[in-house]
Protein backbone atom coordinates (compact mmCIF):
# COMPACT_ATOMS: atom_id res chain seq x y z
CA UNK A 1 0.00 0.00 0.00
CA UNK A 2 1.46 3.33 -1.05
CA UNK A 3 0.55 5.27 2.12
CA UNK A 4 2.42 2.63 4.12
CA UNK A 5 5.53 3.19 1.97
CA UNK A 6 5.29 6.98 2.30
CA UNK A 7 5.29 6.76 6.10
CA UNK A 8 8.11 4.21 6.04
CA UNK A 9 10.12 6.45 3.70
CA UNK A 10 9.76 9.40 6.07
CA UNK A 11 10.88 7.27 9.01
CA UNK A 12 13.88 6.06 7.00
CA UNK A 13 14.85 9.63 6.14
CA UNK A 14 14.48 10.62 9.78
CA UNK A 15 16.84 7.85 10.82
CA UNK A 16 19.51 8.40 8.13
CA UNK A 17 19.29 12.09 7.38
CA UNK A 18 19.87 11.67 3.66
CA UNK A 19 18.95 8.76 1.41
CA UNK A 20 19.13 7.88 -2.24
CA UNK A 21 16.29 6.34 -4.21
CA UNK A 22 18.35 3.16 -4.46
CA UNK A 23 18.70 2.98 -0.67
CA UNK A 24 14.98 3.48 -0.17
CA UNK A 25 14.26 0.82 -2.79
CA UNK A 26 16.56 -1.69 -1.10
CA UNK A 27 15.16 -0.98 2.37
CA UNK A 28 11.48 -1.14 1.39
CA UNK A 29 11.93 -3.88 -1.23
CA UNK A 30 10.54 -1.88 -4.15
CA UNK A 31 12.00 -0.80 -7.46
CA UNK A 32 14.22 2.28 -7.71
CA UNK A 33 11.62 3.88 -9.98
CA UNK A 34 8.90 3.30 -7.36
CA UNK A 35 11.10 4.73 -4.60
CA UNK A 36 11.86 7.80 -6.71
CA UNK A 37 8.15 8.34 -7.43
CA UNK A 38 7.35 8.07 -3.72
CA UNK A 39 10.00 10.65 -2.85
CA UNK A 40 8.71 12.97 -5.56
CA UNK A 41 5.14 12.45 -4.31
CA UNK A 42 6.13 13.46 -0.78
CA UNK A 43 7.78 16.59 -2.13
CA UNK A 44 4.82 17.42 -4.39
CA UNK A 45 2.41 17.00 -1.46
CA UNK A 46 4.20 19.73 0.46
CA UNK A 47 6.27 17.54 2.79
CA UNK A 48 9.69 19.29 3.21
CA UNK A 49 11.63 16.66 1.27
CA UNK A 50 14.12 17.89 -1.31
CA UNK A 51 16.71 16.30 -3.64
CA UNK A 52 20.36 17.22 -3.91
CA UNK A 53 22.12 16.29 -7.14
CA UNK A 54 25.70 15.29 -7.63
CA UNK A 55 28.13 13.02 -5.86
CA UNK A 56 27.11 12.40 -2.27
CA UNK A 57 23.63 13.74 -3.01
CA UNK A 58 20.28 12.22 -2.27
CA UNK A 59 17.00 13.18 -0.64
CA UNK A 60 16.77 14.95 2.72
CA UNK A 61 14.25 16.42 5.11
CA UNK A 62 14.64 20.17 5.41
CA UNK A 63 16.28 20.87 8.70
CA UNK A 64 18.16 17.59 8.73
CA UNK A 65 17.44 14.27 10.37
CA UNK A 66 16.03 14.89 13.84
CA UNK A 67 14.34 12.48 16.17
CA UNK A 68 11.26 14.69 16.40
CA UNK A 69 10.83 15.16 12.64
CA UNK A 70 10.77 18.91 13.27
CA UNK A 71 11.11 19.53 9.55
CA UNK A 72 7.34 18.90 9.34
CA UNK A 73 5.03 21.82 9.98
CA UNK A 74 1.66 21.38 11.69
CA UNK A 75 -0.15 21.71 8.35
CA UNK A 76 2.16 19.22 6.64
CA UNK A 77 1.72 16.73 9.47
CA UNK A 78 -2.05 17.09 9.26
CA UNK A 79 -1.96 16.54 5.48
CA UNK A 80 0.16 13.40 5.84
CA UNK A 81 -2.12 11.83 8.44
CA UNK A 82 -5.28 12.74 6.52
CA UNK A 83 -3.74 10.87 3.56
CA UNK A 84 -2.62 7.83 5.51
CA UNK A 85 -5.45 7.58 8.04
CA UNK A 86 -8.16 6.02 5.83
CA UNK A 87 -5.75 3.41 4.48
CA UNK A 88 -4.78 2.47 8.03
CA UNK A 89 -8.28 1.11 8.67
CA UNK A 90 -7.54 -1.84 6.38
CA UNK A 91 -3.81 -2.20 7.04
CA UNK A 92 -2.57 -3.18 10.52
CA UNK A 93 1.02 -2.53 9.39
CA UNK A 94 0.14 1.05 8.54
CA UNK A 95 -1.58 1.55 11.88
CA UNK A 96 1.65 0.47 13.56
CA UNK A 97 3.69 2.81 11.37
CA UNK A 98 1.40 5.74 12.18
CA UNK A 99 1.71 5.09 15.90
CA UNK A 100 5.49 5.11 15.61
CA UNK A 101 5.42 8.31 13.59
CA UNK A 102 3.17 10.01 16.14
CA UNK A 103 5.71 9.23 18.86
CA UNK A 104 8.45 10.76 16.69
CA UNK A 105 6.56 14.03 16.16
CA UNK A 106 6.98 17.16 18.32
CA UNK A 107 4.64 17.10 21.31
CA UNK A 108 2.66 20.07 19.96
CA UNK A 109 1.84 18.13 16.76
CA UNK A 110 0.83 14.80 18.26
CA UNK A 111 -2.77 15.57 19.20
CA UNK A 112 -3.43 17.21 15.82
CA UNK A 113 -1.86 14.29 13.93
CA UNK A 114 -3.86 11.70 15.87
CA UNK A 115 -7.07 13.64 15.22
CA UNK A 116 -6.28 13.85 11.49
CA UNK A 117 -5.67 10.10 11.29
CA UNK A 118 -9.14 9.48 12.74
CA UNK A 119 -10.90 12.21 10.74
CA UNK A 120 -11.75 10.24 7.61
CA UNK A 121 -13.39 6.85 7.06
CA UNK A 122 -13.37 5.25 3.61
CA UNK A 123 -16.21 2.78 3.04
CA UNK A 124 -15.82 1.22 -0.43
CA UNK A 125 -19.15 -0.65 -0.27
CA UNK A 126 -22.13 0.79 -2.13
CA UNK A 127 -25.50 0.99 -0.39
CA UNK A 128 -27.15 -2.40 -0.30
CA UNK A 129 -23.95 -4.22 -1.19
CA UNK A 130 -21.35 -6.00 0.95
CA UNK A 131 -17.88 -4.61 1.47
CA UNK A 132 -15.94 -5.64 -1.66
CA UNK A 133 -13.10 -8.02 -0.96
CA UNK A 134 -9.84 -7.76 -2.88
CA UNK A 135 -9.57 -10.44 -5.58
CA UNK A 136 -7.54 -13.51 -4.65
CA UNK A 137 -5.09 -12.76 -7.46
CA UNK A 138 -4.14 -9.38 -5.98
CA UNK A 139 -1.57 -10.52 -3.40
CA UNK A 140 0.56 -12.75 -5.68
CA UNK A 141 0.42 -10.17 -8.48
CA UNK A 142 1.51 -7.40 -6.12
CA UNK A 143 4.48 -9.55 -5.16
CA UNK A 144 5.26 -10.23 -8.81
CA UNK A 145 5.11 -6.52 -9.72
CA UNK A 146 7.47 -5.59 -6.88
CA UNK A 147 9.84 -8.52 -7.46
CA UNK A 148 9.77 -8.09 -11.26
CA UNK A 149 8.87 -11.76 -11.78
CA UNK A 150 6.94 -13.11 -14.73
CA UNK A 151 3.73 -14.97 -13.97
CA UNK A 152 1.42 -17.55 -15.47
CA UNK A 153 -2.27 -16.75 -15.01
CA UNK A 154 -5.59 -18.36 -15.80
CA UNK A 155 -7.88 -15.79 -17.41
CA UNK A 156 -11.60 -16.12 -18.18
CA UNK A 157 -13.24 -13.75 -20.65
CA UNK A 158 -16.63 -14.23 -22.31
CA UNK A 159 -16.70 -17.73 -20.85
CA UNK A 160 -13.41 -18.71 -22.51
CA UNK A 161 -10.58 -19.82 -20.24
CA UNK A 162 -6.97 -19.23 -21.36
CA UNK A 163 -3.57 -19.62 -19.75
CA UNK A 164 -1.11 -16.78 -20.33
CA UNK A 165 2.44 -15.94 -19.36
CA UNK A 166 3.16 -12.25 -18.93
CA UNK A 167 5.25 -9.58 -17.24
CA UNK A 168 3.18 -7.70 -14.62
CA UNK A 169 4.11 -4.00 -14.84
CA UNK A 170 1.61 -2.39 -12.50
CA UNK A 171 -1.75 -2.58 -10.72
CA UNK A 172 -4.59 -0.06 -10.64
CA UNK A 173 -7.73 0.04 -8.49
CA UNK A 174 -10.71 1.91 -9.97
CA UNK A 175 -13.97 1.95 -8.01
CA UNK A 176 -13.06 -1.26 -6.13
CA UNK A 177 -12.19 -3.07 -9.40
CA UNK A 178 -8.52 -4.00 -9.82
CA UNK A 179 -6.70 -4.03 -13.15
CA UNK A 180 -3.30 -5.40 -14.17
CA UNK A 181 -1.23 -3.70 -16.86
CA UNK A 182 1.24 -6.20 -18.26
CA UNK A 183 3.64 -6.91 -21.06
CA UNK A 184 2.72 -9.90 -23.23
CA UNK A 185 3.96 -11.45 -26.44
CA UNK A 186 1.29 -9.33 -28.17
CA UNK A 187 2.35 -6.10 -26.53
CA UNK A 188 0.92 -4.09 -23.64
CA UNK A 189 -2.38 -5.47 -22.31
CA UNK A 190 -4.83 -4.77 -19.47
CA UNK A 191 -6.53 -7.52 -17.41
CA UNK A 192 -9.33 -7.36 -14.83
CA UNK A 193 -8.28 -9.19 -11.68
CA UNK A 194 -11.78 -10.51 -10.98
CA UNK A 195 -11.35 -12.57 -14.16
CA UNK A 196 -7.98 -13.97 -13.09
CA UNK A 197 -7.91 -17.46 -11.61
CA UNK A 198 -4.76 -19.21 -10.43
CA UNK A 199 -1.55 -17.17 -10.44
CA UNK A 200 1.84 -18.89 -10.62
CA UNK A 201 5.04 -16.92 -10.02
CA UNK A 202 7.73 -18.04 -12.44
CA UNK A 203 11.48 -18.06 -11.85
CA UNK A 204 11.98 -15.80 -14.85
CA UNK A 205 12.48 -12.10 -14.15
CA UNK A 206 11.79 -9.14 -16.44
CA UNK A 207 12.77 -5.50 -16.92
CA UNK A 208 9.94 -3.04 -17.15
CA UNK A 209 10.29 -0.65 -20.13
CA UNK A 210 12.27 2.44 -19.15
CA UNK A 211 9.61 4.74 -20.61
CA UNK A 212 6.71 3.06 -18.79
CA UNK A 213 4.82 5.33 -16.39
CA UNK A 214 1.93 3.58 -14.65
CA UNK A 215 -0.13 6.70 -13.98
CA UNK A 216 0.31 8.03 -17.52
CA UNK A 217 -0.50 4.63 -19.04
CA UNK A 218 -3.67 4.31 -16.97
CA UNK A 219 -4.73 7.82 -18.05
CA UNK A 220 -4.37 6.72 -21.69
CA UNK A 221 -6.41 3.56 -21.03
CA UNK A 222 -9.17 5.57 -19.37
CA UNK A 223 -9.24 8.03 -22.27
CA UNK A 224 -9.54 5.21 -24.82
CA UNK A 225 -12.32 3.54 -22.83
CA UNK A 226 -14.26 6.77 -22.45
CA UNK A 227 -13.99 7.42 -26.19
CA UNK A 228 -15.19 3.90 -26.96
CA UNK A 229 -18.09 4.26 -24.52
CA UNK A 230 -19.13 7.55 -26.15
CA UNK A 231 -19.60 6.24 -29.70
CA UNK A 232 -23.38 6.86 -29.68
CA UNK A 233 -24.94 10.11 -28.43
CA UNK A 234 -28.63 10.68 -27.69
CA UNK A 235 -30.27 14.07 -27.19
CA UNK A 236 -32.81 14.14 -24.36
CA UNK A 237 -35.05 16.66 -22.60
CA UNK A 238 -35.36 16.65 -18.82
CA UNK A 239 -36.87 19.02 -16.27
CA UNK A 240 -34.65 21.59 -14.58
CA UNK A 241 -35.19 19.85 -11.25
CA UNK A 242 -34.07 16.44 -12.53
CA UNK A 243 -31.25 17.63 -14.82
CA UNK A 244 -28.56 17.70 -12.10
CA UNK A 245 -29.66 14.25 -10.90
CA UNK A 246 -29.36 12.85 -14.42
CA UNK A 247 -25.93 14.46 -14.80
CA UNK A 248 -24.76 13.01 -11.48
CA UNK A 249 -26.03 9.52 -12.37
CA UNK A 250 -24.47 9.44 -15.83
CA UNK A 251 -21.19 11.17 -14.91
CA UNK A 252 -18.91 11.79 -17.87
CA UNK A 253 -21.54 10.37 -20.21
CA UNK A 254 -23.94 13.27 -19.67
CA UNK A 255 -23.48 16.81 -20.96
CA UNK A 256 -26.07 19.45 -20.09
CA UNK A 257 -26.47 21.59 -23.23
CA UNK A 258 -28.72 24.32 -21.87
CA UNK A 259 -32.43 25.22 -21.80
CA UNK A 260 -34.81 24.12 -24.55
CA UNK A 261 -37.70 26.20 -25.92
CA UNK A 262 -40.20 24.61 -23.51
CA UNK A 263 -38.10 25.41 -20.43
CA UNK A 264 -36.70 21.91 -19.97
CA UNK A 265 -32.98 21.19 -20.12
CA UNK A 266 -31.46 19.66 -23.24
CA UNK A 267 -28.79 17.06 -22.48
CA UNK A 268 -26.60 14.60 -24.37
CA UNK A 269 -26.20 11.02 -23.14
CA UNK A 270 -23.46 8.81 -24.59
CA UNK A 271 -22.60 5.10 -24.55
CA UNK A 272 -20.89 2.56 -26.77
CA UNK A 273 -24.11 1.37 -28.47
CA UNK A 274 -27.68 2.57 -28.97
CA UNK A 275 -28.91 -0.30 -26.80
CA UNK A 276 -26.66 0.78 -23.91
CA UNK A 277 -27.96 4.37 -24.16
CA UNK A 278 -31.50 3.02 -24.05
CA UNK A 279 -30.74 0.88 -21.00
CA UNK A 280 -29.23 3.86 -19.20
CA UNK A 281 -32.40 5.89 -19.80
CA UNK A 282 -35.14 3.24 -19.51
CA UNK A 283 -35.53 3.66 -15.77
CA UNK A 284 -36.33 7.34 -16.13
CA UNK A 285 -39.62 6.65 -17.88
CA UNK A 286 -41.58 9.74 -18.87
CA UNK A 287 -39.25 12.02 -16.86
CA UNK A 288 -36.86 11.99 -19.83
CA UNK A 289 -37.89 12.54 -23.45
CA UNK A 290 -35.49 11.09 -26.01
CA UNK A 291 -35.41 13.39 -29.03
CA UNK A 292 -33.02 11.28 -31.08
CA UNK A 293 -31.39 9.53 -32.76
CA UNK A 294 -34.06 7.14 -34.09
CA UNK A 295 -32.04 4.02 -33.24
CA UNK A 296 -32.05 4.90 -29.53
CA UNK A 297 -35.81 5.53 -29.59
CA UNK A 298 -36.25 2.16 -31.32
CA UNK A 299 -34.18 0.41 -28.66
CA UNK A 300 -36.31 2.01 -25.92
CA UNK A 301 -39.46 0.77 -27.64
CA UNK A 302 -37.97 -2.72 -27.88
CA UNK A 303 -37.06 -2.69 -24.18
CA UNK A 304 -40.61 -1.63 -23.29
CA UNK A 305 -42.03 -4.43 -25.40
CA UNK A 306 -39.73 -6.96 -23.73
CA UNK A 307 -40.82 -5.81 -20.28
CA UNK A 308 -44.50 -6.11 -21.24
CA UNK A 309 -44.00 -9.61 -22.66
CA UNK A 310 -42.03 -10.65 -19.60
CA UNK A 311 -44.82 -9.56 -17.24
CA UNK A 312 -47.74 -10.95 -19.24
Amino acid sequence: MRADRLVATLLLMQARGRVTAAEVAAELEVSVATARRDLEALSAAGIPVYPQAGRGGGWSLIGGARTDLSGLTAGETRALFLLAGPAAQAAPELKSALRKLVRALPQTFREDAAAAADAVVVDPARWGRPDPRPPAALAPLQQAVVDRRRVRIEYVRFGERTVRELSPWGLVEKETIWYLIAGTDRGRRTFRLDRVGEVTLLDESFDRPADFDLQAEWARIVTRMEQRRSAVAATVLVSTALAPILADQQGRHCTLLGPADDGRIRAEITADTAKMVARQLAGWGADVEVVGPPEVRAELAALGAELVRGNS
Side-chain angles (χ1 to χ4, degrees):
M1 187 171 294
R2 193 185 191 198
D4 195 354
R5 295 201 313 269
L6 295 179
V7 173
T9 300
L10 277 177
L11 291 172
L12 183 62
M13 295 181 73
Q14 172 206 348
R16 298 188 182 180
R18 179 178 296 167
V19 296
T20 65
E23 289 171 343
V24 173
E27 189 71 27
L28 303 185
E29 299 182 350
V30 298
S31 69
V32 174
T34 296
R36 186 177 297 111
R37 282 195 297 270
D38 286 348
L39 288 162
E40 291 170 350
L42 287 170
S43 180
I47 306 299
V49 172
Y50 69 99
Q52 181 177 344
R55 186 173 183 179
W59 291 77
S60 304
L61 282 168
I62 293 177
R66 302 179 184 175
T67 57
D68 63 357
L69 278 178
S70 58
L72 294 175
T73 68
E76 292 160 347
T77 302
R78 195 160 46 245
L80 175 64
F81 278 79
L82 281 170
L83 169 69
Q89 299 164 41
E93 298 86 354
L94 184 52
K95 286 184 178 180
S96 176
L98 289 175
R99 286 195 295 268
K100 293 175 183 177
L101 184 55
V102 166
R103 290 195 295 268
L105 289 169
Q107 180 63 41
T108 54
F109 290 2
R110 292 181 188 176
E111 184 176 346
D112 204 18
D118 292 332
V120 178
V121 170
V122 175
D123 182 359
R126 296 182 181 180
W127 291 111
R129 298 186 181 182
D131 188 6
R133 295 184 178 181
L138 179 60
L141 286 173
Q142 283 178 326
Q143 179 183 346
V145 170
V146 172
D147 294 345
R148 297 290 190 265
R149 289 177 60 182
R150 285 179 57 81
V151 295
R152 181 184 301 114
I153 66 170
E154 294 180 351
Y155 197 68
V156 179
R157 188 172 181 227
F158 303 131
E160 180 183 357
R161 175 184 172 276
T162 59
V163 177
R164 314 184 187 200
E165 292 189 3
L166 47 83
S167 301
W169 292 348
L171 293 158
V172 176
E173 182 186 18
K174 184 175 179 62
E175 294 185 332
T176 73
I177 298 177
W178 283 89
Y179 298 86
L180 170 69
I181 301 177
T184 73
D185 55 2
R186 296 184 179 181
R188 196 170 299 182
R189 292 291 186 272
T190 305
F191 303 89
R192 281 183 54 148
L193 263 62
D194 56 1
R195 297 173 180 169
V196 175
E198 184 177 351
V199 178
T200 303
L201 274 67
L202 305 177
D203 292 334
E204 183 182 357
S205 61
F206 67 89
D207 292 322
R208 201 165 72 172
D211 62 347
F212 178 78
D213 181 284
L214 180 59
Q215 186 170 349
E217 177 62 21
W218 180 249
R220 284 191 288 269
I221 291 171
V222 169
T223 298
R224 289 197 299 269
M225 286 298 298
E226 295 293 352
Q227 290 173 344
R228 186 182 307 168
R229 294 175 64 186
S230 302
V232 177
T235 301
V236 304
L237 297 174
V238 61
S239 69
T240 55
L242 293 178
I245 300 175
L246 177 66
D248 181 67
Q249 182 197 72
Q250 299 297 323
R252 297 183 185 182
H253 301 288
C254 176
T255 302
L256 300 180
L257 303 175
D261 294 339
D262 62 0
R264 289 182 292 176
I265 300 298
R266 185 180 296 271
E268 183 180 80
I269 305 297
T270 60
D272 54 344
T273 65
K275 178 174 285 188
M276 286 305 301
V277 175
R279 287 178 176 176
Q280 290 175 197
L281 296 173
W284 285 81
D287 290 327
V288 170
E289 178 185 349
V290 179
V291 178
E295 54 265 32
V296 174
R297 292 173 59 89
E299 289 291 353
L300 279 168
L303 282 173
E306 289 177 11
L307 287 171
V308 171
R309 287 196 300 270
N311 292 322
S312 60

